[in-house]
Amino acid sequence: MPDGSRTRPTPRHVAIVMDGNGRWAANRGLARLEGHRRGADAVRRVVEACPDFGVETLTLFAFSTENWSRPPSEISGLMTLFRRYLRRDAAELVEKGVRVRFIGDRAPLAPDIRALMESVEAQTVGGERLTVVIAINYGGRADIARAARRLAAEVASGRRAADDIDEAAFGAALFTADVADPDLVIRTSGEQRISNFLLWQAAYAEFVFAPEFWPDFDRDAFARALSAYGARERRFGALAE
Ligand code: FPP
């Protein structure tokens, strides 16, 4: 919960809309999937940089509920990339003290991907240096609608009184129940939209729109986004001191 005061200059939780893979590839005459592949390299770089920059939680928008409308070949290419990342990087994530969690509706995902997700969550559960939250088949509105359904079912069954539904109860019914709200949302590629990401959770977040396409987002670009955050004054609706 916001405490009304200015927070420390480094965000604890950074959430990223990794945009621009397709344009990065098109600019080089490459297939879109090559952009996503290079995007996975950028994920590795940013995960590695987080502990050095004091970031404790990193949330990545890897696949939105809207991404199903892309061509089947691009969807299956992205799924192959997720499989590869989860298989190949799990041991390194454990070694680096990274805890991985997933948010989003897993039901429509292939059973082997769901099993890999569960396995990586179980393997990395002891990670204490950084928590990486990967949003796959995630949509902010779907998250909110699901929370409403869960709370409504509790009320209907008599387990909860309708009057008990406050902001804390609602937040606890979201996919992100045990993750603090993001302090900073970064979107790459110069686009300035939230695109149905963390709609509830980003209520008090700062936004930084980085000009780089996601595959070009390196340690320096990350440092620039963090320093833009550090230069802002967060008031959470209160007056400046
Ligand atoms: C947006 O770029 C990016 C995506 C929809 C996919 C993000 C996925 C990755 C970076 C792959 C690896 C992820 C993990 C977690 C290993 P876009 O295709 O919308 O780009 P465009 O707007 O230029 O077309």
Coordinates of all heavy atoms in Angstrom, one line a residue, residues 18-24 32 35-40 43-44 60-64 67 70 74 78 81-82 85 134 136 189 191 213-214, ligand 1:
M18 N 7.7 -5.7 -23.0 CA 8.8 -5.9 -23.9 C 8.3 -5.8 -25.3 O 8.0 -6.7 -26.0 CB 9.4 -7.3 -23.6 CG 9.7 -7.6 -22.2 SD 10.4 -9.3 -21.9 CE 8.9 -10.3 -22.2
D19 N 8.3 -4.5 -25.8 CA 7.7 -4.3 -27.1 C 8.8 -4.0 -28.1 O 9.9 -3.4 -27.8 CB 6.8 -3.1 -27.0 CG 5.8 -3.0 -28.1 OD1 5.7 -3.9 -28.9 OD2 5.1 -1.9 -28.3
G20 N 8.5 -4.3 -29.4 CA 9.4 -3.9 -30.5 C 10.2 -5.1 -31.1 O 11.0 -4.8 -32.0
N21 N 9.9 -6.3 -30.7 CA 10.7 -7.4 -31.3 C 10.5 -7.5 -32.8 O 11.4 -7.7 -33.6 CB 10.3 -8.8 -30.7 CG 10.6 -8.9 -29.2 OD1 11.4 -8.0 -28.7 ND2 10.1 -9.9 -28.5
G22 N 9.2 -7.4 -33.2 CA 8.9 -7.5 -34.6 C 9.5 -6.4 -35.5 O 10.1 -6.6 -36.5
R23 N 9.5 -5.2 -35.0 CA 10.1 -4.0 -35.7 C 11.6 -4.1 -35.7 O 12.2 -3.8 -36.7 CB 9.6 -2.7 -35.1 CG 8.2 -2.3 -35.6 CD 7.6 -1.2 -34.7 NE 7.2 -1.7 -33.4 CZ 7.0 -1.0 -32.3 NH1 7.1 0.3 -32.4 NH2 6.6 -1.6 -31.2
W24 N 12.1 -4.6 -34.7 CA 13.6 -4.8 -34.6 C 14.0 -5.8 -35.8 O 14.9 -5.5 -36.5 CB 14.0 -5.4 -33.3 CG 15.5 -5.6 -33.1 CD1 16.4 -4.8 -32.6 CD2 16.2 -6.8 -33.5 NE1 17.7 -5.3 -32.6 CE2 17.6 -6.6 -33.2 CE3 15.9 -8.0 -34.2 CZ2 18.6 -7.5 -33.5 CZ3 16.9 -8.9 -34.4 CH2 18.2 -8.7 -34.1
R32 N 10.1 -12.2 -37.9 CA 9.7 -11.7 -36.6 C 10.2 -12.5 -35.5 O 10.6 -12.1 -34.4 CB 8.2 -11.6 -36.5 CG 7.5 -10.6 -37.4 CD 6.0 -10.6 -37.3 NE 5.6 -10.3 -35.9 CZ 5.5 -9.1 -35.3 NH1 5.8 -8.1 -36.0 NH2 5.1 -9.0 -34.1
G35 N 13.4 -11.7 -34.0 CA 13.3 -10.6 -33.0 C 12.9 -11.1 -31.7 O 13.5 -10.7 -30.6
H36 N 12.0 -12.1 -31.6 CA 11.6 -12.7 -30.3 C 12.8 -13.4 -29.7 O 13.0 -13.4 -28.5 CB 10.4 -13.6 -30.5 CG 9.2 -12.9 -30.9 ND1 8.7 -11.8 -30.4 CD2 8.2 -13.3 -31.9 CE1 7.6 -11.4 -30.9 NE2 7.3 -12.3 -31.9
R37 N 13.6 -14.1 -30.6 CA 14.8 -14.8 -30.1 C 15.7 -13.9 -29.4 O 16.3 -14.1 -28.3 CB 15.5 -15.6 -31.2 CG 15.0 -16.9 -31.5 CD 15.8 -17.7 -32.4 NE 15.0 -18.6 -33.1 CZ 14.6 -18.5 -34.4 NH1 15.2 -17.6 -35.2 NH2 13.8 -19.4 -35.0
R38 N 16.0 -12.8 -30.1 CA 16.9 -11.8 -29.6 C 16.3 -11.1 -28.3 O 17.0 -10.7 -27.4 CB 17.3 -10.7 -30.6 CG 18.0 -11.4 -31.8 CD 19.4 -11.9 -31.4 NE 20.3 -10.8 -31.1 CZ 21.1 -10.2 -32.0 NH1 21.2 -10.8 -33.2 NH2 21.9 -9.2 -31.7
G39 N 14.9 -11.1 -28.3 CA 14.2 -10.6 -27.1 C 14.5 -11.5 -25.9 O 14.6 -11.0 -24.8
A40 N 14.6 -12.8 -26.1 CA 14.9 -13.7 -25.0 C 16.3 -13.4 -24.5 O 16.5 -13.5 -23.3 CB 14.7 -15.2 -25.5
V43 N 16.0 -10.6 -22.2 CA 15.4 -11.0 -20.9 C 16.6 -11.5 -20.0 O 16.6 -11.1 -18.8 CB 14.4 -12.2 -21.1 CG1 14.1 -12.9 -19.8 CG2 13.1 -11.7 -21.8
R44 N 17.5 -12.3 -20.5 CA 18.6 -12.8 -19.7 C 19.4 -11.7 -19.2 O 19.8 -11.6 -18.0 CB 19.5 -13.7 -20.6 CG 18.8 -15.0 -20.9 CD 19.7 -16.0 -21.6 NE 18.9 -17.2 -22.0 CZ 18.3 -17.3 -23.2 NH1 18.5 -16.5 -24.1 NH2 17.6 -18.4 -23.4
L60 N 7.6 -9.5 -16.2 CA 7.8 -9.4 -17.7 C 6.5 -9.9 -18.4 O 6.0 -10.9 -18.1 CB 9.0 -10.4 -18.1 CG 10.3 -10.0 -17.5 CD1 11.3 -11.2 -17.8 CD2 10.9 -8.7 -18.1
F61 N 6.1 -9.0 -19.3 CA 4.9 -9.3 -20.1 C 5.3 -10.2 -21.3 O 5.7 -9.6 -22.3 CB 4.2 -8.0 -20.5 CG 2.7 -8.2 -20.8 CD1 2.0 -9.3 -20.6 CD2 2.0 -7.0 -21.2 CE1 0.6 -9.4 -20.8 CE2 0.6 -7.1 -21.5 CZ -0.1 -8.3 -21.2
A62 N 5.2 -11.5 -21.2 CA 5.8 -12.3 -22.3 C 4.7 -12.7 -23.3 O 5.1 -12.9 -24.5 CB 6.3 -13.6 -21.6
F63 N 3.4 -12.8 -22.9 CA 2.4 -13.2 -23.9 C 1.1 -12.7 -23.3 O 0.7 -13.1 -22.2 CB 2.4 -14.7 -24.0 CG 1.6 -15.2 -25.2 CD1 2.2 -15.3 -26.5 CD2 0.3 -15.5 -25.1 CE1 1.5 -15.7 -27.6 CE2 -0.5 -16.0 -26.2 CZ 0.1 -16.1 -27.4
S64 N 0.4 -11.9 -24.1 CA -0.9 -11.4 -23.6 C -2.1 -12.2 -24.0 O -2.0 -13.0 -25.0 CB -1.0 -9.9 -24.0 OG -1.3 -9.9 -25.4
N67 N -2.4 -11.8 -27.6 CA -1.4 -12.3 -28.6 C -1.9 -13.6 -29.3 O -1.3 -13.9 -30.3 CB -0.1 -12.6 -27.8 CG 0.7 -11.3 -27.5 OD1 1.4 -11.3 -26.5 ND2 0.5 -10.3 -28.3
R70 N -2.3 -13.4 -33.1 CA -1.2 -13.4 -34.1 C -1.2 -14.6 -35.0 O -1.9 -15.6 -34.6 CB 0.1 -13.3 -33.3 CG 0.2 -12.0 -32.6 CD 1.6 -11.6 -32.1 NE 1.5 -10.3 -31.6 CZ 2.6 -9.6 -31.3 NH1 3.8 -10.0 -31.6 NH2 2.5 -8.4 -30.9
E74 N 3.7 -17.6 -35.6 CA 4.4 -16.8 -34.6 C 4.1 -17.3 -33.2 O 4.9 -17.3 -32.3 CB 3.9 -15.3 -34.7 CG 4.7 -14.4 -33.8 CD 4.5 -12.9 -34.1 OE1 4.0 -12.5 -35.1 OE2 4.9 -12.1 -33.2
L78 N 6.8 -18.6 -30.5 CA 6.9 -18.0 -29.1 C 6.9 -19.1 -28.1 O 7.6 -19.1 -27.1 CB 5.8 -17.0 -28.9 CG 6.1 -15.5 -29.4 CD1 4.8 -14.7 -29.4 CD2 7.2 -14.9 -28.6
L81 N 10.0 -20.9 -27.9 CA 11.0 -20.0 -27.1 C 10.8 -20.2 -25.6 O 11.8 -20.3 -24.9 CB 10.9 -18.6 -27.5 CG 11.7 -18.0 -28.7 CD1 11.4 -16.5 -28.8 CD2 13.2 -18.2 -28.3
F82 N 9.5 -20.2 -25.2 CA 9.3 -20.3 -23.8 C 9.8 -21.6 -23.3 O 10.4 -21.7 -22.2 CB 7.8 -20.2 -23.4 CG 7.2 -18.8 -23.8 CD1 5.8 -18.7 -24.2 CD2 7.9 -17.7 -23.7 CE1 5.3 -17.5 -24.5 CE2 7.4 -16.5 -24.0 CZ 6.1 -16.4 -24.4
Y85 N 13.5 -21.6 -23.0 CA 14.0 -20.8 -21.9 C 13.8 -21.5 -20.6 O 14.7 -21.6 -19.8 CB 13.2 -19.5 -21.9 CG 13.7 -18.5 -20.8 CD1 14.9 -17.8 -20.8 CD2 12.9 -18.4 -19.6 CE1 15.3 -17.0 -19.8 CE2 13.2 -17.5 -18.6 CZ 14.4 -16.8 -18.7 OH 14.8 -16.0 -17.7
I134 N 6.7 -14.0 -14.6 CA 6.5 -14.0 -16.0 C 5.0 -14.1 -16.3 O 4.3 -15.0 -15.9 CB 7.2 -15.2 -16.7 CG1 8.7 -15.1 -16.3 CG2 7.1 -15.2 -18.2 CD1 9.6 -16.2 -16.9
I136 N 2.2 -14.9 -18.7 CA 1.9 -15.6 -19.9 C 0.4 -15.9 -20.0 O -0.2 -16.4 -19.1 CB 2.7 -17.0 -20.0 CG1 4.2 -16.8 -20.0 CG2 2.3 -17.8 -21.2 CD1 5.0 -18.0 -20.1
S189 N 10.3 0.5 -27.1 CA 9.9 0.7 -28.5 C 9.2 2.0 -28.7 O 8.7 2.3 -29.8 CB 9.1 -0.4 -29.1 OG 7.7 -0.2 -28.9
E191 N 6.4 3.1 -27.8 CA 4.9 3.1 -27.7 C 4.5 3.5 -26.2 O 5.2 3.2 -25.3 CB 4.3 1.7 -28.0 CG 4.7 1.2 -29.3 CD 4.1 1.9 -30.5 OE1 3.0 2.6 -30.2 OE2 4.6 1.9 -31.6
F213 N 14.0 -0.7 -29.1 CA 13.2 -1.9 -29.3 C 13.7 -2.9 -28.3 O 14.9 -2.9 -27.9 CB 13.4 -2.5 -30.7 CG 12.8 -1.6 -31.8 CD1 13.5 -1.3 -33.0 CD2 11.5 -1.1 -31.7 CE1 12.9 -0.5 -34.0 CE2 11.0 -0.3 -32.6 CZ 11.7 0.0 -33.8
W214 N 12.9 -3.8 -27.8 CA 13.2 -4.7 -26.7 C 14.5 -5.5 -27.0 O 15.4 -5.5 -26.1 CB 12.1 -5.6 -26.4 CG 12.5 -6.6 -25.3 CD1 12.6 -8.0 -25.5 CD2 12.8 -6.3 -24.0 NE1 13.0 -8.5 -24.3 CE2 13.2 -7.6 -23.3 CE3 12.9 -5.1 -23.2 CZ2 13.6 -7.6 -22.0 CZ3 13.3 -5.2 -21.9 CH2 13.6 -6.4 -21.3
Ligands
FPP1 C1 6.3 -7.7 -28.3 O1 7.0 -7.4 -29.5 C2 6.8 -8.9 -27.7 C3 6.1 -10.1 -27.5 C4 4.7 -10.2 -27.9 C5 6.8 -11.3 -27.0 C6 7.7 -11.2 -25.9 C7 8.5 -12.4 -25.8 C8 9.8 -12.5 -25.7 C9 10.7 -11.4 -25.4 C10 10.4 -13.9 -25.8 C11 11.1 -14.5 -24.7 C12 10.4 -14.3 -23.4 C13 10.8 -15.0 -22.3 C14 10.1 -14.7 -21.0 C15 11.8 -16.0 -22.3 P1 6.1 -7.3 -30.8 O2 6.2 -8.6 -31.5 O3 4.7 -6.8 -30.5 O4 6.9 -6.2 -31.6 P2 6.3 -5.2 -32.7 O5 5.3 -4.3 -32.0 O6 7.5 -4.5 -33.2 O7 5.6 -6.0 -33.7

